[in-house]
């Protein structure tokens, strides 16, 4: 699998995004601690883990996210990290011990496709901030700039065990803009949620949505032909921009005088996607269209990290595995439009089937994000019924490690391994049951949600003081 | 071709059924089933159900097979009534975004000379297509009936609906289940001069008009055609009116309106219903809710919560469930399971997707429970019927064994095989 990982923990000396070279200071910083783009990029994360205590969950069924299931096992968290996972761990002095008997522990659940905050609840007119429907290529816009942290959906998702998610612009445009990965912590600004050092995603869209939105306005594109021409032109422009930046940097490096090219936010983002620092997440339903996109990625030398929705991904599961492209999919949505007509419930299991298959269960829904475990369970059973050997230990990867890989954060979260962020869910029972509920949710080792303790149940500013809430 | 994998794809139960009994046998004795009758929470372990001529004839533990009637061994599995698919335009839609395939919503705003703004005579069941693929896709998951009716958006009175059985027939409606559909609240404000007070004003105008004699209408602005007035007048003689409404204050307005105008309201949605549960229970108004709805889509839904079903049940309100989606009505079973996770009793959750919706629409004697005399629409499950890891393994409608195939199972079987010699388009499961 060729999942792009670009985080502080995996330094890369890959070529730069343009803006860093625009000042000499930036160029020096680049040389010192690459890849510093995340740290140096504007709108930096101000996320701080909440206070945590050393916590040992004792004697639970543990799904590690790496494909393993450990029975009667312990999980030790301290200093915000997973310290150990295994049987009969020593209890450190002063550790809080949680009885895990009969309970299950999984990594924090990750949703790679959410519009929380940009299409929030309440979904009033003033809140419709997810699609910049004024041009088919709006690579210059960033979802985080519309992200309303008071969306009541965040707390609801937390009760479903969601610890991280990527929030994307919508699919009206060929290129919708940058997506942001956040930790699901209550906050007053999105910066305080922003996942430290996570790469941006680039939201792109195939098929019916862009051609409908612009075709109905009598504008380009109005066909799938137009869609592809639109992407290719954008990539050509981005290549030219990247070349210009590179020529400028080369001159600086040789000590020559050079005038910095004018920054172009649109092309900056696209160039970042071409060089792999921004991960391409593309809304695409039909198998034939996904094959077209993979060819286009070859033409321009970039990687499609994941196709989202991919209702027909099962038809090209081998090709996706070969390309190292994940399928971020629904368990059973279908039929709401023509390109979703061939949906089947075995889609996720079939994408998971090839040796390098990368299946992800995503939600794209404020309801679905609250029970991704159930969606994974449905997909698991359909795979089993179709003769595939899929157990819980394997299926949990679809909403933990595979999701983390596609977001470029797997070195930090997405599995229960020593040294990783202690993003952990304690379930009252096997989470692949409709009756399962997240009992406690930890983010960086801190208890963020407790089903049995109202003191650990956040309430958005919006709901505060509403009589519905007071009457509860 | 790899026949093994294809064979695996077929459920073992379907195979054993095919071997045990002739296909489409009308008469069968199901034995050794855990029978969930969906009546008063009654469960019969090691139960038997005798089906003859399409009806359930006997239910119990000591029913024997009359001569010539085959038996079907359920092997201890759970047997439930066929499931309710909710209030959804099943059979009225193929692809939601393709106008040429959607029939449930009447919008005459573009048609010339269509002054009447309310058309209670609109009855979309006449556009029902049993071959619509969502029917079989959801039937193989146990969904055998639903409330098929008019979608809102075009008028405060959207039209009518009927309970329909998804057995593939051209005439699916269960007679006597006629229901009028209304949609009120924030989503309908554009139909009432931008005030929800205007909604009650217009409805009262319509009710007056329906009851008026022809003469007294002379010179008045008319909201309906003559036929429409007749239809509405019929519902104002104690008929069922399904009202999509959510705010607590609106729910109380609807109860008042119903009393004053002699119709039986059924609340659909009702996010705030728990706040006025006692009033709703006292008025004997059923609520059809979505157990997964817990977010405020708009200001009408600030009360949405996951334990809604339990709160209403505890208050004595009659509840049933609906997600409103024709393509994925199979998900209603999952929603019922979630209601259980949030406090509702298991048998009450099963009733909310079987017998209770049938009773709400006046057809509790025909469908929705496993009782003597009912139409034999039954589902056999691999495990706990409300559990997401369980699947339907056999299905009878009107006593007939139904094939466990849909367009989706065929697509699955076409693509399940690895490395076929010929293009997959030659594989026709």
């Amino acid at each position: 699998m060729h999942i792009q990982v670009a985080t502080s923990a995996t330094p890369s000396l890959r070529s730069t995004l343009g803006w860093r070279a625009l000042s000499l200071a930036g160029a020096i910083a680049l040389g010192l601690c690459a890849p510093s783009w995340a740290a140096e990029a504007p709108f930096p994360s101000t996320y701080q883990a909440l206070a945590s205590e050393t916590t040992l969950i004792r004697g639970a069924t543990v799904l590690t996210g790496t494909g393993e299931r450990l029975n009667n096992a312990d999980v030790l968290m301290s200093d915000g990290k997973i310290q150990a996972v295994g049987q009969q761990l020593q209890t450190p002095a002063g550790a809080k011990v949680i009885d895990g008997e009969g309970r299950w522990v999984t990594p924090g659940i990750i949703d790679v496709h959410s519009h929380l905050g940009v299409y929030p609840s309440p979904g009033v007119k003033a809140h419709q901030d997810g699609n910049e429907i004024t041009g088919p290529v709006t690579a210059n816009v960033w979802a985080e700039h519309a992200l309303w942290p008071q969306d009541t959906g965040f707390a609801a998702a937390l009760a479903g065990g969601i610890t991280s998610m990527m929030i994307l612009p919508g699919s009206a445009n060929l290129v919708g803009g940058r997506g942001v990965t956040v930790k699901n912590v209550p906050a007053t600004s999105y910066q305080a949620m922003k996942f430290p050092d996570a790469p941006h995603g680039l939201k792109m869209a195939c098929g019916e949505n862009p051609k409908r939105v612009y075709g109905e306005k009598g504008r380009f594109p109005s066909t799938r032909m137009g869609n592809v021409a639109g992407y290719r032109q954008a990539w050509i422009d981005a290549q030219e921009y990247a070349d210009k930046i590179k020529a400028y940097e080369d001159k600086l490096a040789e000590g020559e005088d050079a005038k910095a090219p004018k920054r172009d936010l649109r092309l900056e983002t696209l160039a970042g996607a071409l060089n792999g620092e921004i991960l391409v997440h593309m809304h695409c339903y039909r198998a034939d269209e996904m094959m077209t996109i993979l060819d286009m990625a070859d033409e321009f030398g970039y990687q499609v990290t994941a196709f989202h929705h991919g209702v027909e991904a099962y038809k090209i599961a081998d090709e996706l595995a070969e390309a190292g492209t994940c399928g971020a999919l629904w368990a059973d949505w279908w039929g709401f439009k023509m390109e979703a007509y061939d949906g089947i419930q075995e889609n996720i299991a079939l994408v998971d089937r090839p040796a390098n298959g990368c299946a992800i269960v995503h939600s794209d829904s404020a309801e679905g994000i609250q029970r991704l475990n159930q969606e994974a369970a449905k997909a698991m059973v359909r795979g089993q019924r179709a003769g595939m050997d899929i157990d819980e230990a394997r299926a949990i990867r679809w909403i933990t490690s595979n999701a983390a890989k596609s977001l470029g954060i797997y070195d930090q979260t997405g599995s229960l391994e020593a040294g990783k962020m202690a993003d952990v869910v304690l379930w009252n029972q096997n989470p692949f049951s409709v009756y399962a509920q997240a009992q406690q949710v930890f983010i960086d080792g801190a208890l963020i949600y407790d089903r049995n303790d109202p003191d650990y149940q956040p309430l958005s500013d919006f709901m505060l003081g509403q009589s519905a809430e007071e009457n509860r | 071709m790899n026949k093994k994998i294809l064979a695996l794809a077929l459920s073992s139960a379907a195979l054993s059924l095919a071997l045990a009994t002739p296909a489409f046998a009308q008469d069968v004795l199901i034995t050794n089933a855990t029978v969930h009758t969906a009546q008063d929470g009654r469960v019969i372990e090691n139960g038997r159900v005798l089906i003859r001529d399409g009806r359930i004839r006997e239910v119990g533990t000591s029913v024997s097979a009359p001569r010539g009637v085959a038996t079907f061994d359920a092997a201890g599995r759970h047997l439930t009534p066929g499931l309710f698919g909710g209030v959804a335009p099943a059979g009225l839609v193929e692809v939601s975004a393709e106008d040429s395939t959607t029939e449930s919503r009447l919008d005459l705003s573009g048609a010339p000379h269509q002054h009447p703004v309310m058309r209670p005579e609109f009855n979309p069941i006449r556009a029902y297509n049993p071959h619509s693929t969502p029917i079989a896709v959801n039937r193989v998951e146990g969904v055998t009936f639903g409330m098929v009716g008019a979608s809102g958006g075009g008028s405060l009175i959207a039209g009518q609906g009927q309970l329909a059985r998804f057995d593939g027939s051209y005439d699916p409606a269960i007679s006597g289940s006629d229901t009028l559909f209304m949609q009120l609240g924030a989503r309908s404000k554009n139909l009432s001069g931008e005030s929800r007070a205007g909604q009650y004003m217009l409805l009262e105008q319509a009710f007056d008009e329906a009851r008026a004699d022809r003469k007294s209408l002379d010179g008045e602005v008319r909201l309906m055609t003559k036929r429409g007035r007749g239809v509405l007048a019929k519902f104002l003689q104690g008929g069922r009116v399904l009202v999509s409404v959510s705010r607590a204050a609106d729910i109380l307005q609807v109860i008042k309106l119903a009393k004053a105008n002699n119709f039986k309201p059924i609340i659909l949605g009702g996010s705030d219903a728990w706040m006025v549960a006692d009033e709703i229970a006292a008025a004997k108004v059923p609520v059809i809710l979505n157990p997964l709805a817990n977010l405020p889509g708009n200001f009408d839904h600030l009360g949405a919560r996951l334990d809604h079903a339990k709160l209403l049940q505890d208050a004595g309100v009659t509840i049933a469930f609906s997600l409103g989606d024709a393509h994925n009505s199979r998900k209603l079973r999952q929603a019922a399971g979630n209601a259980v996770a949030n406090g509702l009793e298991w048998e009450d959750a099963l009733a909310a997707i079987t017998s209770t919706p049938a009773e709400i629409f006046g057809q509790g004697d025909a469908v929705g429970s496993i009782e003597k005399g009912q139409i034999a629409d039954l589902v056999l499950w691999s495990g706990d019927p409300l559990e997401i890891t369980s699947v339907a393994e056999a299905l009878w409608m009107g006593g007939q064994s139904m094939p466990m195939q849909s367009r989706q199972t065929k697509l699955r079987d076409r693509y399940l095989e690895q490395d076929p010699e010929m293009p997959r388009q030659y594989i026709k499961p």
Side-chain angles (χ1 to χ4, degrees), chain A residues 122-123 332 334-337 341-343 345-346 353 367 370 374-375 378 382 385 433-435 472, chain B residues 94-97 141 294 296-297 304-305 327-328 330-331 334 338 346 384 387 393 407-408 412 416:
Chain A
D332 53 15
W334 77 286
F336 42 93
K337 51 182 168 170
Y341 193 53
D342 284 5
Q345 295 178 104
E346 293 76 10
R353 183 166 68 170
E367 180 267 303
Q370 298 178 45
Q374 294 180 21
E375 300 304 299
K378 288 189 286 185
R382 292 299 161 178
R385 302 286 300 189
S433 163
V434 76
Y435 308 119
R472 258 165 214 259
Chain B
E94 186 65 35
V95 176
S96 314
E141 311 287 340
N294 64 334
R305 53 192 294 169
H327 286 93
N328 225 10
R330 57 194 175 190
K331 189 177 173 179
Q334 179 185 359
N338 276 272
W346 193 96
D384 173 350
E387 179 58 272
E393 291 190 323
R407 185 166 178 276
Q408 291 194 357
R412 171 196 68 198
L416 201 52

Side-chain angles (χ1 to χ4, degrees), chain A residues 1 62-69 104 348-361 376 380 384 388-402 432:
Chain A
M1 205 185 310
V62 178
L63 302 178
T64 61
T66 61
E68 271 189 288
R69 168 179 168 157
W104 291 51
I348 289 161
L350 283 168
V351 168
D352 184 57
R353 183 166 68 170
N356 292 322
C358 173
I360 297 168
V361 184
M380 176 182 76
Q384 291 170 352
M388 286 173 264
D389 182 18
I390 303 168
D391 60 9
E392 287 94 342
R394 183 173 180 84
I396 196 74
R397 293 154 57 252
W398 303 338
I399 54 176
T400 58
S401 53
N402 284 1
F432 290 79

Side-chain angles (χ1 to χ4, degrees), chain A residues 248-413:
Chain A
Y248 164 70
E249 287 175 345
D250 288 350
K251 278 190 183 166
L252 280 189
E254 286 160 26
E256 292 177 36
D257 262 357
K259 187 169 181 300
K262 187 180 177 196
R263 283 179 70 188
D264 183 315
L265 290 178
R266 198 170 74 98
L267 297 176
E268 220 167 72
T269 293
L270 291 168
L274 284 180
N275 72 21
E277 291 178 342
I278 296 175
L279 307 182
V280 176
H281 290 269
M282 191 155 192
H283 155 126
C284 213
Y285 287 76
R286 254 169 44 180
D288 55 298
E289 279 186 283
M290 287 187 266
M291 294 306 295
T292 301
I293 300 302
L294 289 178
D295 273 355
M296 178 173 73
D298 283 346
E299 180 186 8
F300 292 96
Y302 72 94
Q303 171 73 17
V304 180
T305 297
F307 285 120
H308 289 224
H309 312 337
V311 156
E312 293 188 6
Y314 65 94
K315 298 182 181 179
I316 52 164
D318 291 336
E319 290 84 348
L320 292 175
E322 174 77 12
T325 297
C326 298
L329 313 169
W330 293 297
D332 53 15
W333 287 21
W334 77 286
F336 42 93
K337 51 182 168 170
M338 200 60 209
E339 60 193 7
Y341 193 53
D342 284 5
I344 65 172
Q345 295 178 104
E346 293 76 10
N347 194 21
I348 289 161
L350 283 168
V351 168
D352 184 57
R353 183 166 68 170
N356 292 322
C358 173
I360 297 168
V361 184
H362 74 347
S363 80
D364 187 22
S365 154
E367 180 267 303
I369 194 173
Q370 298 178 45
R371 41 194 71 86
L372 273 190
N373 58 313
Q374 294 180 21
E375 300 304 299
K378 288 189 286 185
M380 176 182 76
V381 165
R382 292 299 161 178
Q384 291 170 352
R385 302 286 300 189
M388 286 173 264
D389 182 18
I390 303 168
D391 60 9
E392 287 94 342
R394 183 173 180 84
I396 196 74
R397 293 154 57 252
W398 303 338
I399 54 176
T400 58
S401 53
N402 284 1
K405 286 171 187 169
S406 83
L407 299 184
I409 55 175
Y410 185 54
D411 59 331
Q412 300 179 81
T413 191

